Amino acid sequence: MSYRARIRDGDATAFAQLFDEYARAVYSHAYRVLGDWAAAEDALSLTFLEAWRLRRKIDADGGSLRPWLLGIATNVVRNMRRAARRHRDAMARMPRPEAVADFADEIAGRIDDAERLAAIRQAYGGLRRHEQEVVALCVWSGLSYAEAAEALGVPVGTVKSRLARARRKLEPAPSPRQVEGDRSPMKEIR
């Protein structure tokens, strides 16, 4: 049985011999057309897969199978280029992605704020009810002494003295960790 007939009938050894003989020629052809060694390797693989699929079309008689393989390689390369062009065109139609902001600083700030807020809430919880009320009205809600006094039904002097006591209680003790410029819980509520 001839070499061509053996390939046509699915003889793996004959097909391996075909690969050994012409793989370099197919690869070189694909590389020259595509200009990319990785794409040329893909084209080589696809060419021989397609050759295996089309092996029954080989005539039993004839010369070299090189032209047949290079014809298959040309079609494979054409299909690869068409697919790449379609992919590029599709990607060009996609909206450009917006820059994604780095949220690390924001998250770190939120964690710091949450820690400060927890400290403030703890200190605030240690105040007497009437001291909490003046802090909430004057500091957090921005009422004047007179407006807070009106809201609570107490004299303005009482609001001032309660707020002064609350601020003293809320001032943190100096800490060896505290760096100049740190925000203390009291500064948050002033």
Side-chain angles (χ1 to χ4, degrees):
M1 183 180 311
S2 74
Y3 170 67
R4 288 171 148 259
R6 287 181 24 230
I7 292 172
R8 189 182 62 204
D9 290 342
D11 182 333
T13 304
F15 197 81
Q17 184 181 349
L18 176 73
F19 180 86
D20 291 341
E21 269 182 66
Y22 297 113
R24 180 178 296 268
V26 170
Y27 175 82
S28 296
H29 173 70
Y31 180 75
R32 282 191 292 272
V33 174
L34 295 170
D36 179 334
W37 63 267
E41 287 179 2
D42 291 343
L44 173 67
S45 298
L46 291 171
T47 297
F48 277 92
L49 283 172
E50 190 66 8
W52 178 259
R53 190 180 71 78
L54 297 173
R55 72 186 184 278
R56 297 211 189 282
K57 294 184 178 186
I58 297 174
D59 290 333
D61 298 322
S64 169
L65 288 173
R66 184 172 181 255
W68 177 69
L69 285 170
L70 291 179
I72 294 171
T74 298
N75 288 331
V76 165
V77 167
R78 186 182 304 133
N79 290 339
M80 288 175 69
R81 292 174 81 186
R82 185 180 311 121
R85 185 180 62 248
R86 286 179 180 162
H87 181 261
R88 275 191 314 272
D89 292 347
M91 294 305 291
R93 288 189 301 269
M94 298 291 293
R96 297 280 179 218
E98 294 181 24
V100 177
D102 182 8
F103 294 107
D105 291 337
E106 181 182 340
I107 291 171
R110 286 183 182 187
I111 291 170
D112 290 344
D113 290 346
E115 289 172 356
R116 281 189 214 101
L117 188 55
I120 290 168
R121 284 188 177 142
Q122 183 178 4
Y124 180 77
L127 298 176
R128 293 184 173 153
R129 182 185 51 81
H130 62 272
E131 292 168 340
Q132 290 177 350
E133 291 170 349
V134 294
V135 167
L137 291 172
C138 293
V139 178
W140 294 343
S141 296
L143 295 183
S144 67
Y145 295 138
E147 291 168 330
E150 182 183 332
L152 295 173
V154 296
V156 173
T158 303
V159 170
K160 288 181 181 180
S161 64
R162 288 178 182 174
L163 189 56
R165 277 193 306 274
R167 282 187 171 151
R168 276 193 306 274
K169 290 178 181 178
L170 293 174
E171 274 300 325
S175 167
R177 282 188 45 211
Q178 188 167 357
V179 177
E180 188 172 321
D182 269 3
R183 297 183 343 193
S184 69
M186 189 58 216
K187 289 180 183 175
E188 294 294 317
I189 62 170
R190 282 190 178 169

